[in-house]
Amino acid sequence: MIRKALIALWLFTILGQLPVGAQTLDRIVAIVEDDVILERELNREVAAITAKLQGSNTMMPPEFVLRKQVLERMIVDKLQRQLATRSGIQISDEMLRNSVSDIAARNGLSVEAFKEELVNQGMDYKAFEENLRNEIIINQLRGREIGARVKVTDAEVNHYLETQSK
């Protein structure tokens, strides 16, 4: 035990003498329970939303307001995803592929043509899939939470049936 402590002390002494240059890799802008939001992630989201707003000729809010709103949305999304994970909600790859096929079909495109269209619009397909997966997970979580809170009594059902038959 003493030998391990001496070796550790020796290593710290040696390593402490080496020149070390501090370099900032990325900043943490928010800690969300057991996860973090990095400045790089926030900047990417702000840039994507800015591009969408400019593309639709929508009036841009001030930069600080947009950053605050985007950060708040990112925090809520992370909290919801963490809750969904703890609740055991998972989306299979097959379910994700089916959702992509449905979206492509609603836009009158094949899946391959849809992927090409996303790339032409400057979107990364993997990022699109990840966003879609997160949306599906959050929708399932919301449905589960709302479903657990809605209670319909037999009297309410009978009353509804009576009023509908009249």
Side-chain angles (χ1 to χ4, degrees), residues 11-23:
L11 280 173
F12 287 129
T13 303
I14 299 269
L15 292 175
Q17 295 173 359
L18 296 175
V20 178
Q23 180 181 4

Side-chain angles (χ1 to χ4, degrees), residues 34-109:
D34 57 348
D35 204 353
V36 296
I37 297 174
L38 300 175
E39 186 173 38
R40 169 178 28 100
E41 295 170 318
L42 178 60
N43 290 341
R44 185 176 42 233
E45 283 295 313
V46 168
I49 291 173
T50 299
K52 285 180 186 175
L53 291 174
Q54 289 173 343
S56 64
N57 292 327
T58 303
M59 190 172 138
M60 291 286 297
E63 175 77 16
F64 75 94
V65 172
L66 181 63
R67 286 183 69 81
K68 182 178 182 239
Q69 290 174 344
V70 170
L71 180 59
E72 287 173 358
R73 192 194 83 219
M74 291 175 75
I75 290 169
V76 169
D77 285 349
K78 281 209 185 261
L79 287 170
Q80 288 176 334
R81 285 195 312 259
Q82 288 172 5
L83 181 58
T85 299
R86 284 193 298 270
S87 299
I89 297 174
Q90 295 179 347
I91 303 301
S92 68
D93 290 340
E94 180 183 349
M95 185 178 208
L96 184 63
R97 282 192 301 272
N98 290 340
S99 295
V100 170
S101 295
D102 290 345
I103 293 169
R106 278 187 260 138
N107 287 290
L109 300 169

Side-chain angles (χ1 to χ4, degrees), residues 1-8:
M1 184 76 143
I2 294 174
R3 185 177 172 185
K4 288 182 183 177
L6 288 174
I7 291 172

